[in-house]
Amino acid sequence: MFEGREVEQQVHQGMKLTHVNSLLQSGLIWPELIKKAKEGGLDAIETYVFWNAHEPQHRQYDFSGNLDLIRFLKTVQDEGLYAILRIGPYVCAEWNYGGFPVWLHNMKNVEFRTINSVIMNEMQNFTTLIVDMANQEKPFASEGGPIIIAQYENVIGSYRDAGETYIDWCANMAESLDIGVPWIMCQEDDAPQPMINTCNGWYCDSFTPNNPNSPKMWTENWTGWFKNWGGKDPHRIAEDLAFAVARFFQYGGTFQNYYMYHGGTNFGRDAGGPYISTSYDYDAPLDEYGNLNQPKWGHLKQLHLTLKSMEKVLTNGDVNTTDFGNLVSATVYSFNGTSSCFFGNANTTTDANITFEGNQYSVPAWSVSILPDCKKEVYNTAKVNTQTSVMVKKANGAEVEPISLNWSWRPEYIRDTTVQGKGPVAVKHLMEQKFATDDTSDYLWYMTSVKIDEDDLIWSKDMTLRVNTSGHVLHAYVNGKYIGSDWAKNGVFNFVFERQVKMKPGTNQITLLSVTVGLQNYGANFDLVQTGIVGPVELIGTKNDEKVIKDLSSNNWVYKVGLHGEENQLYNVESRHSSRWQETNLPTKKMMTWYKSSFKAPLGKDPVVVDLQGLGKGNAWVNGKSLGRYWPSFLADEEGCSATCDYRGKYDNNKCVTNCGQSSQRWYHVPRSFLRDDTNTLVLFEEMGGNPSLVNFQTVIVGIACGNAYEGNTLELSCQGGTISEIRFASFGDPQGTCGSFGKGSCESENSLSIIQEACVGNESCSIDVSEGNFGPSQCGDIVKRLAVEAICS
């Protein structure tokens, strides 16, 4: 992802074969990520164009820094790759408000994604701006540039029945821009020609375009899933992802895109939702920090190379499929005397043995075998022949860096709101939060006063305050005293806050702080989902055992957007207000508190993370750059996790989850582009109350590299910048177990360990031919032989 309020970038593999999607982070690491994508077998990079990032205020545009779309496209082209441009205007992407600017929501008479003159005028203005700006650099393939495909609109059906008239308008408007390359509409069955409708999902092998002359295209192959605050960590096993890709091309696919190929991080307030976490790792082939997620990256790379070796016959050949029954099939592509074959087995439990042109082949359950010459199996999606990397955190390592950080602090000034009820806007009703804030802050103060005398019907020593809200967090104060907090749980974002209150005779000040955690980005009429205190707000008293309710919703309400610390930029070390920090009596578990510390950047080039365990909820900045929201106190559910995962059978985001009962996100990415060579400053705003004493900076490295390759392949092991210091296990034969628990089987070559030690120890990487010719006799007979290795990196 781009840093700050940036544009989501996506790495894709395109051209005539596969196409891969990613969320890139820092402009300074674009080349590195794009290079790794190309090394993984990708042909094209795709990017969304985020309307709310580029036009944060009406007719005020930003294409600077990491929002420099043209610079990004040139970087893609410099690496020799193509580009796909998804202009939107709606992008979804778990991005705040789906990429729509909130000022658009607040325009008079606007209706989203339908025939409405206000929205259509703004859509056309922004889209034309993007195309005109791009045309100055001739980026479209029709002019020799890298962009080969563009997209307009996105998953309209998930929003509502927009009607053919609106969809036709989108298509006609896009075509009128005359960019010279095809337009696609993602997951839109009614896309009119010449727009090409495309598929999204875990599997798209059975997808058929709405026009027989359109290519079969898969816009989003979900490589994992996003994570929520309070959610577990979802994973999609490499074997299943490869199965979905291979099966798509077996059945006529021409273009396939991974969503995501690099997940990245939701810096700033870019995460949507509500409750999308700051990490957007997505279990992607390139992880959140840009490391290779092995074995997924390597297993897909081998698949891409195999498919590319068959490109001509796949894109030009005649196709014939034979159904063997029990979900087993063989597909043959033939062209100019050359044939390539896919043998597919979609059975979830039973391996298949088939006879093809007089030869016997075994195809494991839920797998596809690929035979580029229809004779020898070169790749099977269930047979992983690449390493598994176990990533670990490593202590800072900076010279003379103390184990614990030294902290200063200052309170967030709230007396003007909780006691005085002061704010710049007052109206006699409850305001919707998107309207009141224009999404410039997560925080909106609602303040009102109520006069109660002891002879009022509602007067009681047993009174409660009840607030209906969809905030998604609420903190409440009465007469300057904090009375409690509540927040949404279990995906239900409207809730009722109710607490006992002690009122005094006369005027009482009620102050409510409503907090959003990412605006709705998906679903039917998502833009109309209310946020903030929707009401009613009620005082409830008891008289003679009967409840008496006083509705305050139509009171005079005073509003203030944001925090004093935000307004004064306390997170910016160069702010003129960044003084009056206190060095003594450090408070812990104290709400509405700012903390500040300095630290040295960890040595080396490994990705940097900050451990925020012990904190409650808030926001973090390094050198004035936002790391995003944090909420490590929000624990994941305790049920549903498993130490193992069977890749066989259809995947969804509730399968293969980990991290039950743990902090939904403990570690937060600090891009090295945020860091300085000398002293760096970390600033935290702690909203709910936490203890910063455990906060520390570490790096992410490969701790263990496990190899698992079948005979006839080459196993490559790498510590990704580290050194192989020890071989803990090595066996060529029929080793048992998985990474971290390998054991010897019934047979092996006796020189397995020594051969691996000689080839690998002391090197960053090593390459081993998996064969008896290299390891010597294994005495395994007809047993399928493989090599298992567990290497320690340092």
Side-chain angles (χ1 to χ4, degrees):
M1 172 192 302
F2 287 115
E3 301 160 357
R5 299 183 62 177
E6 311 87 357
V7 176
E8 174 184 349
Q9 298 299 331
Q10 307 172 19
V11 177
H12 298 266
Q13 176 164 324
M15 213 162 83
K16 295 178 181 176
L17 287 175
T18 51
H19 173 249
V20 185
N21 183 26
S22 157
L23 185 64
L24 297 182
Q25 300 174 47
S26 165
L28 295 177
I29 60 173
W30 290 344
E32 179 184 346
L33 291 168
I34 293 168
K35 181 179 176 63
K36 288 180 178 178
K38 183 178 181 179
E39 290 173 352
L42 278 58
D43 298 309
I45 306 294
E46 177 177 291
T47 178
Y48 278 132
V49 181
F50 281 90
W51 191 353
N52 62 354
H54 290 299
E55 193 176 356
Q57 299 297 324
H58 192 222
R59 298 298 188 266
Q60 296 180 24
Y61 304 106
D62 188 357
F63 292 91
S64 63
N66 284 330
L67 295 175
D68 191 338
L69 178 63
I70 300 303
R71 180 168 65 100
F72 177 77
L73 293 171
K74 287 182 176 179
T75 305
V76 170
Q77 188 173 28
D78 289 344
E79 193 59 50
L81 298 176
Y82 295 100
I84 289 85
L85 197 65
R86 299 177 79 175
I87 296 179
Y90 167 70
V91 296
C92 185
E94 291 71 63
W95 191 271
N96 194 48
Y97 211 42
F100 282 127
V102 172
W103 57 256
L104 186 68
H105 167 81
N106 294 334
M107 294 186 77
K108 187 177 180 180
N109 297 324
V110 71
E111 288 185 71
F112 282 20
R113 311 183 81 186
T114 190
I115 290 295
N116 173 268
S117 60
V118 179
I119 188 72
M120 292 191 300
N121 179 63
E122 296 301 328
M123 287 170 61
Q124 184 160 6
N125 178 77
F126 180 71
T127 307
T128 303
L129 172 80
I130 295 298
V131 172
D132 286 349
M133 182 181 66
N135 276 333
Q136 295 176 18
E137 303 294 334
K138 299 187 183 304
F140 295 101
S142 54
E143 302 170 308
I147 301 174
I148 56 174
I149 296 170
Q151 177 180 308
Y152 202 64
E153 256 297 5
N154 189 30
V155 292
I156 301 173
S158 68
Y159 180 78
R160 65 178 172 197
D161 183 6
E164 291 185 11
T165 306
Y166 172 71
I167 297 171
D168 287 346
W169 177 84
C170 289
N172 291 332
M173 196 275 287
E175 282 293 320
S176 72
L177 297 173
D178 194 26
I179 61 176
V181 300
W183 285 96
I184 60 175
M185 267 191 178
C186 174
Q187 200 170 326
E188 182 50 55
D189 293 341
D190 297 329
Q193 290 293 302
M195 301 291 263
I196 302 169
N197 70 308
T198 65
C199 180
N200 283 3
W202 309 112
Y203 310 93
C204 281
D205 50 280
S206 60
F207 168 73
T208 301
N210 65 10
N211 185 290
N213 296 319
S214 293
K216 181 174 178 173
M217 302 174 73
W218 190 357
T219 328
E220 295 183 9
N221 179 359
W222 302 325
T223 62
W225 202 242
F226 57 89
K227 186 165 64 172
N228 300 287
W229 297 117
K232 299 177 278 286
D233 290 352
H235 304 278
R236 189 180 186 189
I237 304 302
E239 292 94 321
D240 175 66
L241 180 56
F243 169 76
V245 175
R247 193 166 174 84
F248 178 71
F249 287 107
Q250 177 181 354
Y251 290 106
T254 60
F255 171 103
Q256 185 266 161
N257 160 53
Y258 296 111
Y259 188 100
M260 312 289 290
Y261 194 79
H262 167 57
T265 306
N266 287 313
F267 295 112
R269 301 176 54 251
D270 291 334
Y275 278 31
I276 304 298
S277 68
T278 299
S279 171
Y280 201 72
D281 181 83
Y282 220 89
D283 198 32
L286 294 176
D287 72 13
E288 178 175 1
Y289 316 113
N291 294 314
L292 307 185
N293 178 12
Q294 296 281 38
K296 189 172 285 185
W297 184 87
H299 193 45
L300 292 175
K301 176 183 178 178
Q302 293 171 356
L303 172 58
H304 302 155
L305 293 174
T306 303
L307 290 171
K308 286 182 178 184
S309 73
M310 304 154 55
E311 182 174 348
K312 181 164 286 189
V313 68
L314 290 182
T315 54
N316 294 280
D318 296 324
V319 187
N320 180 53
T321 296
T322 301
D323 187 349
F324 291 98
N326 199 28
L327 303 177
V328 179
S329 62
T331 301
V332 181
Y333 285 80
S334 302
F335 178 69
N336 280 353
T338 301
S339 296
S340 295
C341 292
F342 294 86
F343 298 158
N345 180 5
N347 193 289
T348 60
T349 57
T350 306
D351 296 346
N353 293 302
I354 66 173
T355 301
F356 181 81
E357 294 185 350
N359 295 315
Q360 296 288 324
Y361 298 93
S362 178
V363 186
W366 203 254
S367 80
V368 176
S369 292
I370 304 177
L371 297 76
D373 61 357
C374 284
K375 295 179 181 178
K376 180 181 178 182
E377 177 191 298
V378 170
Y379 184 91
N380 177 271
T381 60
K383 299 174 183 177
V384 176
N385 293 292
T386 190
Q387 80 175 52
T388 295
S389 296
V390 179
M391 310 304 294
V392 298
K393 309 297 190 299
K394 180 182 177 183
N396 186 333
E399 296 175 343
V400 300
E401 180 70 11
I403 296 175
S404 298
L405 299 176
N406 293 317
W407 293 95
S408 57
W409 68 282
R410 58 182 289 175
E412 166 67 15
Y413 180 70
I414 60 174
R415 183 177 175 80
D416 63 342
T417 54
T418 62
V419 177
Q420 301 170 8
K422 294 170 63 177
V425 176
V427 293
K428 289 186 177 294
H429 60 84
L430 294 166
M431 292 175 66
E432 202 267 346
Q433 191 159 346
K434 289 196 297 294
F435 179 81
T437 66
D438 222 15
D439 196 38
T440 56
S441 172
D442 285 351
Y443 301 96
L444 178 63
W445 297 91
Y446 291 72
M447 298 165 280
T448 193
S449 61
V450 56
K451 188 175 181 180
I452 305 177
D453 295 325
E454 291 186 1
D455 57 356
D456 285 346
L457 288 176
I458 196 173
W459 179 262
S460 167
K461 292 183 179 180
D462 181 22
M463 298 182 71
T464 59
L465 174 67
R466 184 163 65 195
V467 182
N468 286 267
T469 184
S470 57
H472 314 98
V473 177
L474 182 72
H475 308 297
Y477 301 81
V478 173
N479 295 326
K481 293 184 179 180
Y482 169 71
I483 64 167
S485 301
D486 259 339
W487 52 91
K489 302 175 182 68
N490 302 319
V492 179
F493 298 104
N494 54 317
F495 60 93
V496 177
F497 170 93
E498 191 162 358
R499 291 291 192 281
Q500 270 196 322
V501 293
K502 290 185 177 180
M503 311 299 284
K504 63 183 181 182
T507 301
N508 295 265
Q509 177 65 39
I510 297 175
T511 299
L512 307 172
L513 178 58
S514 177
V515 188
T516 55
V517 189
L519 297 181
Q520 191 87 23
N521 65 263
Y522 181 78
N525 301 306
F526 74 86
D527 60 300
L528 301 179
V529 174
Q530 290 189 312
T531 54
I533 298 173
V534 297
V537 176
E538 300 166 317
L539 276 176
I540 304 171
T542 304
K543 274 282 204 241
N544 300 322
D545 296 327
E546 291 187 7
K547 289 189 179 298
V548 180
I549 298 175
K550 184 179 182 65
D551 192 339
L552 307 179
S553 303
S554 298
N555 263 30
N556 188 60
W557 287 89
V558 178
Y559 296 88
K560 179 184 175 183
V561 176
L563 308 169
H564 279 287
E566 288 181 307
E567 183 179 355
N568 294 332
Q569 296 187 2
L570 295 184
Y571 50 83
N572 188 346
V573 294
E574 298 176 356
S575 169
R576 62 187 179 89
H577 299 284
S578 61
S579 59
R580 294 186 293 175
W581 292 86
Q582 302 178 43
E583 304 291 341
T584 59
N585 301 319
L586 183 76
T588 60
K589 307 299 180 183
K590 182 178 175 60
M591 293 179 61
M592 303 294 169
T593 303
W594 293 82
Y595 296 100
K596 183 171 71 170
S597 184
S598 61
F599 65 98
K600 295 283 188 181
L603 301 178
K605 297 181 180 180
D606 295 318
V608 179
V609 292
V610 59
D611 182 1
L612 298 185
Q613 192 79 337
L615 295 178
K617 174 186 179 294
N619 293 269
W621 296 263
V622 166
N623 297 328
K625 298 181 184 298
S626 175
L627 302 184
R629 302 181 182 99
Y630 67 78
W631 203 345
S633 62
F634 207 148
L635 304 184
D637 298 337
E638 295 187 357
E639 303 296 328
C641 291
S642 174
T644 60
C645 177
D646 189 345
Y647 65 87
R648 298 174 299 179
K650 287 191 174 181
Y651 177 80
D652 65 41
N653 53 294
N654 297 307
K655 180 180 180 181
C656 304
V657 294
T658 61
N659 204 45
C660 284
Q662 302 299 312
S663 171
S664 53
Q665 187 178 345
R666 172 180 175 179
W667 305 93
Y668 297 79
H669 185 202
V670 185
R672 286 202 175 260
S673 60
F674 284 15
L675 299 174
R676 299 169 178 166
D677 292 335
D678 52 4
T679 301
N680 297 272
T681 301
L682 170 66
V683 174
L684 307 171
F685 171 66
E686 179 52 61
E687 175 189 324
M688 289 187 172
N691 185 351
S693 64
L694 299 177
V695 172
N696 65 94
F697 290 84
Q698 300 191 30
T699 56
V700 182
I701 64 170
V702 179
I704 299 174
C706 286
N708 181 25
Y710 291 86
E711 185 176 22
N713 291 278
T714 298
L715 175 63
E716 297 180 356
L717 290 177
S718 174
C719 287
Q720 295 185 38
T723 301
I724 300 173
S725 59
E726 177 189 349
I727 303 299
R728 184 173 291 173
F729 179 88
S731 178
F732 173 67
D734 68 333
Q736 304 299 303
T738 58
C739 184
S741 60
F742 284 133
K744 293 183 179 181
S746 61
C747 59
E748 70 166 352
S749 296
E750 62 181 19
N751 296 322
S752 299
L753 180 61
S754 61
I755 289 173
I756 297 297
Q757 288 173 329
E758 183 177 353
C760 300
V761 173
N763 300 319
E764 177 185 345
S765 61
C766 55
S767 181
I768 305 104
D769 175 35
V770 184
S771 66
E772 285 193 341
N774 188 26
F775 287 95
S778 63
Q779 310 302 322
C780 288
D782 294 334
I783 295 175
V784 176
K785 295 178 284 296
R786 65 187 181 101
L787 170 65
V789 179
E790 183 175 329
I792 307 301
C793 297
S794 63

